[in-house]
Amino acid sequence: MNTQLSDRINSVTPSATLEMAAKARELRAAGKDIIGLSLGEPDFNTPEYIKQAAIQAVNDDYNSYTPVDGYVDLKDAIITKFKRDNDLSYNHSQLVVSTGAKQALYNVAQVVLNDGDEVVLPCPYWVSYSDIVKLAGGVPVEVATSIDTDFKMTPEQLEAAITPKTKMLWYSSPCNPSGSIYSKEELRALADVLQKYPQIVVVSDEIYEHINYGVTAHASMAAFEDMYDRTVTVNGVAKAFAMTGWRIGYIGAPTYIARACNKLQGQVTSGANCIAQRAVITALVESPDRVQFMIDKFKGRRTLILDLLNNIEGFKCNEPEGAFYVFPDVTAHFGKTYKGTTINNASDFAMYLLEHANVATVTGDAFGNGNCIRISYAASEDEIKEAVSRIKTALS
C-alpha cells in the first residue's frame, strides 16, 4: 500500500478480468501459446451498417464537444429502443449517455450513495460492482447463490439482506458471469419484497439483453409500474453489437438521478465520443434482428463448450440462458496438488490453468463466488475445442 495515495484508491481491487488479460498478453509476448477465454468481448467485427454510419459522421465533420448527456437524436434513438424492446417510456431528461455502461454505473453509485449506505449484490455479480460501490463510500452486501438455484437470488434472501442502511439493489440479467436470466415472474417476486422498502433504488444492468437464447424472455424491473420511479436501467452497445471499443453506454432513470449523473459527468469526462454516438444512433434504431447472426453463433458455441466441459471430471455447469460465459463449479478440484502446487481455491485453479494448460480464465472470487471460474466462449469453435482439450489434459 502506498501511503502517498488516497485510502480510496488503496482500497480498490484491480479488475480481475483485465488483470488476467494482461497476464495472458505478457505470457504471449514471452512466446507462450495462450488461449484467452477471460475477457467479455465478442470476437466479431462491428457490423458494416454501423461502421458506415461512423464513416458518414466523419465525412459530415462531427468533431466538436458533444452535449454532456448525449446528442438529442441519440436520445431519440434510445427512447425508441426502450419502448420497442422493453415497453419502457422515457423522456430526454431521464436519459444520460456515458463513456460505456461502466461509467454509467459509476455515475449512479456516486450520485445516490452516501458513506455507509448498503448495496445488495446477488452473487455472482459483475466484477466491478463491489469496487464501484466502495468508491462511492457504500458497503457491498453479498447474497450468496449457488449453481443449484441457477445463481439467482430468491425473495427470501433479498428480505434477509435488507437492513435500515440498505440504499440500493444491483443485479445484471442476463447475468455476467453466470448467464442466468431473471424471468418476469422472478423479478415481480423481488419487487414485491421491495415494496416494503421505498428507500431502495434498483440498478438493473441489461447490457446482455439481446444475447438471449430463447428460454426465458428478457424482462426489465422498471416495466413494473410500482418500480418505474425507483429503477435505473443500464444498457449499452458493447456486447450485442460487438462495439466494446466504441465506449457508449446509457441509462434510463428517474429524472432526479439522471440530472445528478449529468451534473457529475460534466465535471469528470463531459460528453461521450461524437463519432461513436452517431454510429450508435444507427445501431439502436435498426432492428435487433440485424445482429441475430452473432447470437446464433454464441448459442452454438454454448452447446459446444457445455458438451466438452461436462466430459471433464470435477466440472459442474449450469446451462446459461444468455450472455457468453459458463461459470462452472470447480470445488471438486480444491485440495489437489500437482508438482508442489496445491489448488486451495478458485484463484489457484485459474492460475493453474494459465500455467499448465495455457488457457486464461477468471477466478470466481472476483465475482463474489469462490467456488467457480468464469470461462468466456466469445471465441472460435477451434479455440474452444483446443482450450478445453488443454484443460482436460492439465487436470488428468
Side-chain angles (χ1 to χ4, degrees), residues 196-245:
K196 295 180 256 182
Y197 307 97
Q199 79 279 10
I200 297 176
V201 173
V202 176
V203 174
S204 176
D205 181 350
E206 303 181 14
I207 190 78
Y208 290 93
E209 168 190 9
H210 292 304
I211 306 177
N212 183 318
Y213 304 126
V215 178
T216 301
H218 181 78
S220 297
M221 182 70 85
F224 299 124
E225 189 175 346
D226 55 4
M227 292 302 299
Y228 177 81
D229 287 332
R230 49 194 292 206
T231 299
V232 179
T233 306
V234 180
N235 214 318
V237 294
K239 311 301 182 179
F241 298 93
M243 297 177 71
T244 51

Side-chain angles (χ1 to χ4, degrees), residues 107-296:
N107 286 348
V108 172
Q110 288 291 326
V111 306
V112 173
L113 295 175
N114 286 312
D115 288 350
D117 285 344
E118 294 178 354
V119 180
V120 176
L121 300 178
C123 302
Y125 50 75
W126 180 54
V127 62
S128 292
Y129 286 175
S130 181
D131 281 292
I132 288 174
V133 168
K134 290 176 186 174
L135 280 168
V139 178
V141 176
E142 298 186 352
V143 177
T145 68
S146 73
I147 195 168
D148 300 317
T149 58
D150 199 29
F151 298 111
K152 288 187 275 193
M153 179 178 67
T154 66
E156 293 76 19
Q157 286 180 302
L158 173 59
E159 181 86 64
I162 293 172
T163 76
K165 293 183 177 180
T166 306
K167 189 68 174 289
M168 301 180 88
L169 161 65
W170 283 32
Y171 71 93
S172 61
S173 181
C175 176
N176 174 4
S178 69
S180 306
I181 297 176
Y182 284 94
S183 69
K184 185 176 181 180
E185 293 73 25
E186 288 167 333
L187 289 181
R188 181 65 257 175
L190 297 177
D192 289 342
V193 173
L194 294 169
Q195 290 311 302
K196 295 180 256 182
Y197 307 97
Q199 79 279 10
I200 297 176
V201 173
V202 176
V203 174
S204 176
D205 181 350
E206 303 181 14
I207 190 78
Y208 290 93
E209 168 190 9
H210 292 304
I211 306 177
N212 183 318
Y213 304 126
V215 178
T216 301
H218 181 78
S220 297
M221 182 70 85
F224 299 124
E225 189 175 346
D226 55 4
M227 292 302 299
Y228 177 81
D229 287 332
R230 49 194 292 206
T231 299
V232 179
T233 306
V234 180
N235 214 318
V237 294
K239 311 301 182 179
F241 298 93
M243 297 177 71
T244 51
W246 298 69
R247 309 308 302 132
I248 299 291
Y250 55 88
I251 61 168
T255 301
Y256 77 97
I257 291 179
R259 293 303 85 201
C261 289
N262 181 55
K263 180 180 178 182
L264 173 67
Q265 192 164 294
Q267 294 289 16
V268 181
T269 57
S270 296
N273 179 281
C274 58
I275 304 303
Q277 286 197 54
R278 304 314 299 177
V280 171
I281 293 171
T282 295
L284 294 183
V285 298
E286 291 284 328
S287 169
D289 291 345
R290 297 198 69 170
V291 294
Q292 185 61 42
F293 72 95
M294 288 190 271
I295 287 80
D296 292 342

Side-chain angles (χ1 to χ4, degrees), residues 177 305-306 309 317-318 320 324-328 373-377:
I305 198 165
L306 284 174
L309 289 177
C317 302
N318 70 317
F324 38 67
Y325 311 104
V326 283
F327 198 60
I373 61 169
R374 191 189 77 172
I375 304 174
S376 168
Y377 51 89

Side-chain angles (χ1 to χ4, degrees), residues 292-350:
Q292 185 61 42
F293 72 95
M294 288 190 271
I295 287 80
D296 292 342
K297 282 280 190 184
F298 285 136
K299 186 176 183 179
R301 294 170 184 179
R302 178 194 63 162
T303 301
L304 173 65
I305 198 165
L306 284 174
D307 287 347
L308 295 171
L309 289 177
N310 285 331
N311 280 318
I312 300 179
E313 188 177 346
F315 271 69
K316 185 180 178 184
C317 302
N318 70 317
E319 184 167 301
E321 295 184 359
F324 38 67
Y325 311 104
V326 283
F327 198 60
D329 184 309
V330 293
T331 51
H333 293 283
F334 294 179
K336 294 183 178 179
T337 300
Y338 179 71
K339 289 186 177 179
T341 299
T342 301
I343 297 171
N344 295 307
N345 49 47
S347 296
D348 289 346
F349 189 80

